[in-house]
């Protein structure tokens, strides 16, 4: 009988990084040495506790025939339809008692088995290394019955020497993985807790005289145009770079003229490291990173981060990503003008960094460290300030740096995220600087910047960022001398983020402000058969943070959200501006007159590349339709340079019509990341202003017992409610001030900004009542006077609907006056009504996607077509969405609606109340009525879900307002 011992528990709760693993080394994807992938089908047994089973499963001959089969890489809780446990989401709270280093006895443990044969051509000499690229949260490993060690550090590589244990066939690899360990206290990173072997497992032949580790040093001198290359290797060899005519011994430096690497021009030179036993391909990028004159500079130039924070995520496989998914992320980033990635909050799969090298992205590589949950006890017992944990912290820093040190895209090392402060972090920074002097060090939590090379913040509001840009922020002397970045800003949760353009204007106005990284790249929804995408709480977690895990610029299936489209426009690398142009100001930009033959100012906002890779096209629109188009000759401007470019003389007469220019910058040829004709930037500018619609009140209301008729319309004689316009039925037309609160309206409990959704609900704006004061049929108008107010409150809105007609068209003028004391902004101000049999939609205004007052930079004025269903934005948690801004006219359900002034247009197959009540998209059931909102104004979006709320200029104040709509039945 086998005796069970508490050794598994002891291992899980040991604060050390593990034992038996080889020292960390550089990762490279291939060499001429043999390798064998052990990915694929594995056997799995999940036990409820760490010591529920003994170690006998690791012995050769153990019968695992009744075990389940799973796929590695993978997470066991995402396989087996819940048979192996379920995911857990928390933002920062530990889902177990905070009692470091102890973890619960209820510690799901997955025993994994893989039996493999060596290929027939596997060399018989040399050694072999077994490599794990990622296991959550810790693992013990046996090969052919021999315990070869264990490790912690979920998102970090670990290798074991196993050559002496291998046999030609029937090798038994056994891995025991505990969901919780002492390492879990260091991995509290606002993501799903997902145990398993989620990255590659590989057997690597290590030939005699083969490479163990090497460090490519490739600097660039921008003054001379020369690069200096030195490759240090633990094994003597030679380095060759044919394109540079370089052939030198390892450890020997050589200086030659080169083209530098940058995120904009990611020049890589193919080379090779050759030792006695191995040939390793090299991909060399020459670049120099430094902090100079208080700025982050690469190759002598200050750079501006236009970045995103990227968790690794796939809605089906969690953090187990394949090559195609990683490439999709990089291509989407490049096509949306993103130039930088912070690998929040751990080193990514190493293949992702290869892609960043190839396609060009600046990378802040972040260590696998976060102890955020200790904030609940004021950081007491925080591991980063406890010497017992320092070896684990240093091990994590070393495994990140050694693995990723040869990537030119990595220009900053980050110590981790939201781990407070302490001696362990200082030790990490000192180790990193001693090992690698060619990069800078980042850590946001170091508010005095003792250990960092930049002043980094999260979610600082616009006013504070401006003060920092002007040098008025205070702080230590060292901090005041450092460049500033927002390592997190623009919280992309649900509808939003708002205010990105306002941040970008600050970044471009002050040198010290070197940009930031939007939080975050992707919604972490998990594919669910009943809910569409699941988020926190959908798996019955006793502690969770809801849909806070869905805060990305792309949806779980990687479709770009309106937030990413907005971000692309805000950060576009070419400025297209001029009098009246709003290339950076949104569809609500300055309305002016360019003139029939005006000019446009083209500015190269890149840091390194000129504009020779782009072509420029102009088009001329009349009432939203393009009537002329052509190419625009633009000089190949150097970075930072501008030129005034003359626009052609329009050929057509536009008197009485609205007209405008559109200028676009497109890729001139196919690139590695985008096809010829891909749009990089655009701008628009008005030539002649819109002629406002007009209806002469020539018809008089006709009253009978139950119905009032006016022109083409009929009204209820008692209430004045509109019933029909010609043959089109209209229901429920009334003033509307409510919207289904966005995640940003809901706000966050730890934010100081007002949580407007709570205020609105407290004051009853979601349950407004409409009292009819009078229905007056005059000589040329039908006037309905009302008061709109919430129950239990004394304030309201005095609202007058005045209807007139010229016989064929119907005009509604709405006058609104606040009554009583309003202490809050309105969510919206406009009218809502229902239509039947509505589907196709056309409009002239902002599009093609949604836009709100502080998210409409990407709204392009034109004529657009859609369907009601396609107008909806499928946020994982349903909320206000789909408004098209600055609409002149819209057509839907047999009606044409024109606005004075322009309006926002929304149409849905459910009411706002139904949208508000839904928690998942599957809760929304289309009805027979399409509900249309024509809004005079909307409250902005902001980033109050985690960050500043709506800026004052985008808040919808309760003030007197008057606006009109003209309705015409379509023939």
């Amino acid at each position: 009988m086998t005796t069970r011992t508490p050794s598994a528990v002891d291992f899980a709760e040991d604060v050390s990084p593990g034992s038996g693993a080889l020292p960390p080394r550089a990762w490279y994807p291939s060499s001429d040495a043999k390798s064998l992938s052990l990915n694929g089908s594995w056997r799995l047994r999940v036990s409820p506790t760490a010591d529920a089973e003994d170690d006998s499963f690791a012995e050769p001959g153990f019968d695992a025939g009744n075990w389940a089969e799973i796929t590695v890489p993978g997470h066991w809780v995402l396989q087996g339809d819940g048979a192996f446990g379920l995911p857990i989401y928390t933002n920062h709270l530990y889902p177990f008692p905070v009692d470091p280093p102890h973890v619960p006895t209820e510690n799901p443990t997955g025993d994994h088995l893989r039996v493999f044969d060596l290929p027939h051509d596997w060399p018989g000499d040399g050694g072999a290394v077994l490599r794990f690229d990622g296991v959550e949260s810790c693992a013990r490993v046996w090969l052919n019955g021999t315990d070869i060690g264990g490790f912690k550090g979920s998102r970090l590589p670990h290798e074991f020497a196993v050559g002496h244990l291998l046999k030609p066939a029937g090798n038994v690899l056994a891995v025991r993985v505990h969901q919780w360990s002492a390492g879990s206290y260091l991995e509290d990173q606002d993501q799903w807790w997902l145990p398993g072997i989620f990255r590659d497992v590989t057997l690597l032949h290590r030939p005699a005289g083969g490479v163990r580790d090497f460090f490519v040093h490739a600097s660039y001198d921008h003054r001379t145009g020369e690069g200096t290359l030195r490759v240090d290797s633990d094994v003597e060899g030679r380095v060759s770079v044919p394109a540079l005519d370089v052939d030198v011994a390892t450890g020997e430096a050589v200086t030659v003229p080169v083209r530098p690497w940058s995120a904009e021009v990611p020049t890589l030179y193919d080379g090779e490291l050759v030792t006695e036993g191995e040939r390793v391909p090299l991909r060399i990028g020459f670049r120099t990173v430094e902090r100079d004159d208080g700025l982050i500079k690469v190759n002598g130039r200050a750079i501006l981060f236009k970045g995103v924070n990227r968790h690794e995520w796939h809605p089906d496989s969690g953090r187990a990503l394949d090559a195609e998914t990683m490439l999709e992320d990089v291509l989407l980033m490049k096509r949306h003008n993103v130039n930088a990635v912070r690998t929040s909050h751990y080193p990514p799969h190493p293949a992702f960094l290869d892609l960043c090298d190839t396609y060009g992205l600046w990378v802040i590589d972040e260590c696998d460290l976060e102890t955020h949950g200790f904030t609940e006890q004021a950081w007491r017992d925080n591991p980063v300030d406890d010497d017992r944990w320092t070896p684990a912290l240093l091990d994590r820093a070393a495994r990140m740096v050694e693995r990723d040190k040869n990537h030119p895209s990595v220009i900053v090392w980050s110590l981790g995220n939201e781990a407070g402060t302490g001696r362990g972090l200082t030790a990490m920074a000192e180790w990193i600087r001693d090992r690698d002097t060619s990069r800078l060090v980042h850590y946001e939590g170091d508010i005095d910047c003792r250990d960092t090379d930049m002043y980094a913040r999260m979610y600082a509001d616009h006013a504070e960022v401006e003060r920092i840009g002007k040098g008025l922020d205070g702080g230590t002397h060292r901090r005041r001398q450092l460049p500033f970045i927002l390592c997190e800003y623009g919280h992309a949760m649900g509808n939003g983020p708002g205010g990105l353009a306002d941040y970008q204007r600050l970044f471009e106005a002050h040198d010290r402000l070197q940009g930031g990284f939007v939080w975050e790249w992707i919604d972490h929804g998990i594919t669910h058969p009943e809910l569409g995408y699941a988020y926190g709480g959908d798996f019955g977690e006793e502690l969770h943070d809801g849909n806070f895990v869905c805060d990305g610029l792309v949806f779980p299936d990687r479709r770009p959200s309106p937030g990413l489209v907005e971000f692309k426009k805000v950060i576009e690398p070419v400025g297209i501006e001029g009098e009246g142009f709003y290339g950076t100001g949104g569809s609500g930009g300055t309305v002016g007159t360019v003139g029939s033959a005006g000019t446009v100012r083209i500015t190269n906002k890149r840091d390194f590349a000129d504009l020779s890779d782009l072509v420029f096209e102009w088009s001329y629109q009349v009432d939203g339709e393009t009537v002329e188009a052509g190419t625009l000759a633009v000089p190949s401007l150097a970075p930072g340079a501008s030129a005034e470019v003359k626009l052609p003389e329009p050929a057509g007469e536009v008197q009485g019509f609205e007209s405008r220019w559109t200028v676009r910058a497109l890729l001139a040829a196919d690139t590695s990341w985008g096809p010829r004709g891909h749009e990089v930037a655009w701008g628009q500018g008005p030539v002649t202003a819109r002629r406002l619609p007009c209806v002469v009140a020539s018809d008089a209301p006709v009253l009978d017992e139950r119905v009032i008729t006016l022109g083409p319309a009929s009204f209820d004689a008692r209430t004045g409610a509109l019933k029909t316009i010609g043959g089109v039925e209209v229901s429920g037309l009334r003033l509307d001030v409510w919207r289904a609160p966005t995640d940003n309206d809901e706000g966050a409990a730890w934010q100081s900004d007002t949580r407007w959704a709570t205020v609105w609900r407290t004051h009853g704006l979601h349950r407004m009542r409409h009292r009819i004061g009078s229905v007056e049929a005059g000589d040329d108008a039908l006037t309905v006077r009302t008061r709109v107010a919430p129950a239990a409150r004394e304030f309201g809105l005095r609202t007058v609907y005045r209807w007139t007609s010229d016989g064929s068209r119907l005009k509604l003028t709405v006058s609104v006056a606040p009554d009583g004391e309003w202490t809050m902004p309105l969510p919206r101000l406009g009218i809502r009504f229902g239509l039947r049999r509505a589907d196709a939609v056309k409009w002239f205004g902002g599009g093609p996607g949604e836009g709100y007052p502080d998210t409409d930079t990407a709204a392009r004025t034109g004529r657009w077509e859609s369907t009601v269903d396609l107008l909806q934005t499928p946020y994982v948690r349903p909320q206000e969405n789909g408004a098209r801004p600055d609409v002149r006219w819209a057509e839907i359900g047999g009606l044409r609606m024109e606005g004075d002034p322009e309006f926002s247009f929304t149409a849905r197959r459910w009411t706002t109340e139904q949208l508000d009540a839904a928690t998942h998209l599957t809760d929304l059931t289309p009805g027979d009525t399409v509900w249309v909102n024509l809004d005079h104004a909307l409250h902005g979006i902001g980033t109050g879900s985690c960050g500043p709320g709506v800026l004052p200029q985008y808040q919808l104040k309760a003030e007197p307002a008057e606006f009109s709509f003209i309705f015409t039945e379509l023939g």
Side-chain angles (χ1 to χ4, degrees), residues 650-948:
E653 286 287 332
V654 296
Q655 192 170 14
F657 295 91
E658 181 179 0
S659 61
R660 73 188 58 252
W661 296 103
T662 300
V663 176
R664 305 165 65 218
L666 315 173
L667 288 180
D670 291 344
T671 71
S672 61
W673 53 266
R676 178 178 179 269
H678 167 79
E679 184 178 271
V680 173
W682 62 271
Q684 284 189 313
V687 178
T688 56
R690 173 191 180 213
R691 183 173 58 184
L692 294 175
C694 178
V695 169
V696 177
S698 58
D699 267 27
V702 177
L703 175 65
D704 65 19
E705 185 177 347
R706 295 186 176 181
V707 176
I708 298 173
T709 59
L710 176 61
S714 65
F715 300 82
D716 184 284
R718 182 178 61 86
T719 65
L722 178 66
K723 298 175 64 175
T724 63
I725 300 175
V728 179
E729 294 182 18
V730 181
S731 61
L733 190 149
R734 64 184 188 181
L735 188 79
D736 193 15
V737 299
W738 181 242
R739 72 184 187 195
T742 68
D743 289 314
N744 289 301
D745 291 336
E746 297 285 2
W750 56 87
Q751 294 299 128
S752 59
D753 280 315
T754 302
R755 302 174 70 183
W756 287 120
T758 300
V759 173
W760 293 336
R761 286 194 175 100
T762 298
H763 288 84
L765 299 194
H766 60 310
R767 49 179 173 77
M768 301 291 276
R769 298 292 181 260
H770 300 253
R771 177 174 62 81
I772 301 170
S774 64
V775 179
E776 306 165 5
D779 292 339
D780 62 354
L782 172 64
T783 302
V784 181
R785 303 183 187 277
T786 70
R787 187 175 188 271
V788 182
R793 300 289 176 175
E794 64 178 357
F795 59 83
L797 298 169
R798 295 195 179 277
T799 305
V800 178
Y801 307 91
R802 187 173 189 271
W803 299 93
T804 57
S805 177
D806 61 3
S808 61
R809 296 180 296 167
L810 181 70
K811 181 177 181 179
L812 167 63
T813 300
V814 183
S815 301
V816 180
D819 183 20
E821 184 179 1
W822 282 81
T823 59
M824 77 214 78
L826 295 168
R828 69 177 349 124
L829 182 65
I831 61 170
R832 178 175 75 170
F833 56 89
L835 298 174
R836 299 178 66 85
R837 296 182 299 277
D839 185 30
V841 182
K842 297 180 180 179
W843 75 97
F844 173 25
E850 73 181 26
Y852 291 78
D854 54 351
T855 67
D856 68 348
T857 309
R860 191 177 328 210
T861 302
R863 291 200 187 194
W864 310 102
E865 297 185 12
S866 182
T867 64
V868 170
D869 293 337
L870 291 178
L871 287 177
Q872 315 311 307
T873 303
Y875 295 114
V876 175
R877 185 191 74 81
Q879 56 197 271
E880 167 62 35
N881 74 89
R884 270 53 181 183
D886 300 303
V887 174
R888 283 77 167 150
W889 56 258
E891 295 178 354
I892 183 174
L895 289 180
R896 179 184 176 98
M897 297 150 286
E898 299 174 83
D900 178 11
E902 292 79 18
F903 59 95
S904 287
F905 169 79
T906 312
R908 305 187 181 99
R909 298 190 187 280
W910 37 78
T911 66
T912 298
E913 291 73 22
Q914 290 168 328
L915 183 63
D916 189 9
T919 60
H920 294 82
L921 291 172
T922 50
D923 295 333
L924 293 170
T925 302
D928 295 331
T929 300
V930 169
W931 293 96
V932 177
N933 277 91
L934 309 181
D935 288 308
H936 173 62
L938 292 166
H939 187 65
I941 298 297
T943 60
S945 54
C946 187

Side-chain angles (χ1 to χ4, degrees), residues 632-643:
L632 192 67
V634 174
S636 180
L637 298 170
S642 297

